[in-house]
Amino acid sequence: MTDRQKISFQDVRDEVLERIHNRVWGQGDLLPTEQDLSEEFGCARATVNRALRELAERGIIDRKRKSGTRVALSPVKQAKLEITLTRQLIEDRNATYRYALVRCHQVSAPGWLASQVGLTPCAPVLHVQAMHYGNNQPFQFEDRWINISAVPKVTDADFSAVGPNEWLLAEVPFSTAELSFGAISADEDLAEYLSCAVGAPLFQMERTTWFQAQPVTFVRMSFHPGYQMRSRY
Amino acid sequence: MTDRQKISFQDVRDEVLERIHNRVWGQGDLLPTEQDLSEEFGCARATVNRALRELAERGIIDRKRKSGTRVALSPVKQAKLEITLTRQLIEDRNATYRYALVRCHQVSAPGWLASQVGLTPCAPVLHVQAMHYGNNQPFQFEDRWINISAVPKVTDADFSAVGPNEWLLAEVPFSTAELSFGAISADEDLAEYLSCAVGAPLFQMERTTWFQAQPVTFVRMSFHPGYQMRSRY
């Protein structure tokens, strides 16, 4: 790197990456201190700090307050998936969002649901089915159960106007969740909702949401054929 | 919280979550300082710090060095997916891993691949197809292209012994990648490789990997019917 021009944190990051790639610094090796690197590169220590922070977030180096920074032994790759509202997914594709309630009724939790999310068998749940459209094309069928004991107000909600995901996010914004992704075949109902052939391969996402230790909701989202979810790391 | 017993960072985290949930602190509100919270809860400031760090990582609060900590305006949920070797996925299921090379030959990059990853059309690439088994059941079919200009050594690699993913991870450990997930129907080849019916719905993951600005590899991984990928946030 030349010292004639201002050194950016990206320059430092790329140079460090290059040295790790070329095994100047091998896996497990201790890196020079931020002070030493900032002197070598002729930049502020904060610039080095920002570069190293990014490499640490990507799992490339390990930073320990007392023992210093080392090249990671095995890069654990963590992909980040931004989980947003279906409305957002559709609007991000520059399409017009439309929502339609299919049905909503109170039932006793079926056995599979109770064991899936850790509910008392036969606990009262609200079963909501809804469709999400982009430019009037079917985008996603939402099949959701909500634990009434966790969110008693849900029995007053009007899901013909606002989707249950948006309603829940406003009521219980800070939950934790478990996700699973897979592929299924469209059955007759899904084929009708998503205007596709029976047997078409569909990407499906399931999510169980808790607030603290209490199960709040379980949802199964089936996407139109050809849908792809994207991520980087 | 009682001050008779030792306050853990989980206690502080849950109390802060509870107050946010009950709108004691609403979206965008400034939280008390770490010092004030540690006095109120009767615990070390480091305990408060650890609790707040976790809530910040989950997107529930925003911490700014100068302007303090606020309840996040809109919780952006980021799910983390751990991307590991197929060997690891299988061994995590307590199954015995087996790998088999199907074919490996040098070709000119087809047009779709060149445009997909940003290669010169007809650039030399290595096309590798391989199977991954768990307890001798087909687990994943791997269909991979490797940019020879980016990794010239790849022409000497012996992919009958070690899978291309493990080989690449050793050669180019610190790359960035773009992922996409979706569902496809098994064609005749995939049905044979994965011992399933033609037309069975398969979960498929595609990944393009770069080292700095250079495309390294593109892979399409098709999983056996019923496979689910899991994550939490």
Side-chain angles (χ1 to χ4, degrees), chain B residues 117-138:
Chain B
V117 307
L119 270 177
T120 323
C122 302
V125 292
L126 201 67
H127 184 195
V128 187
Q129 294 182 312
M131 274 298 302
H132 303 267
Y133 299 87
N135 288 343
N136 288 322
Q137 300 296 307

Side-chain angles (χ1 to χ4, degrees), chain A residues 13-15 17-18 20-21 23 27 53 58-61 65 71-72 74-84 116 150 169-185 199-204 206-207 209-212 226-233, chain B residues 13-15 17-18 20-21 23 27 53 58-61 65 71-72 74-84 116 150 169-185 199-204 206-207 209-212 226-233:
Chain A
R13 177 197 63 198
D14 290 348
E15 177 64 21
L17 261 180
E18 187 69 34
I20 291 172
H21 184 54
R23 311 287 156 89
Q27 297 189 4
R53 205 166 62 219
R58 283 166 56 191
I60 290 170
I61 57 176
R65 196 174 294 226
V71 180
S74 57
V76 174
K77 312 260 177 169
Q78 278 203 334
K80 289 183 182 176
L81 287 175
E82 292 210 350
I83 304 297
T84 66
Q116 169 91 28
L169 191 63
E171 288 300 318
V172 194
F174 302 105
S175 52
T176 55
E178 231 173 65
L179 293 171
S180 90
F181 310 94
I184 56 146
S185 254
L202 305 178
F203 178 72
Q204 194 177 68
E206 293 182 344
R207 182 169 57 202
T209 304
W210 290 267
F211 182 70
Q212 293 170 10
Y227 174 75
Q228 291 200 307
M229 192 174 70
R230 292 172 191 287
S231 166
R232 302 188 59 104
Y233 64 82
Chain B
R13 176 196 63 198
D14 289 348
E15 178 64 23
L17 260 180
E18 188 69 36
I20 291 172
H21 185 55
R23 311 287 156 91
Q27 297 189 3
R53 205 166 61 218
R58 283 166 55 189
I60 290 169
I61 58 176
R65 195 175 293 226
V71 181
S74 56
V76 173
K77 313 259 179 168
Q78 277 204 334
K80 288 183 183 175
L81 288 175
E82 292 210 350
I83 305 296
T84 66
Q116 169 91 29
L169 191 63
E171 288 300 316
V172 194
F174 303 106
S175 51
T176 55
E178 231 172 66
L179 293 170
S180 92
F181 310 94
I184 57 147
S185 256
L202 305 179
F203 178 72
Q204 194 176 69
E206 293 182 343
R207 181 168 60 200
T209 305
W210 289 268
F211 182 70
Q212 294 172 9
Y227 173 76
Q228 290 201 309
M229 193 173 70
R230 294 173 189 285
S231 166
R232 303 187 60 103
Y233 63 83

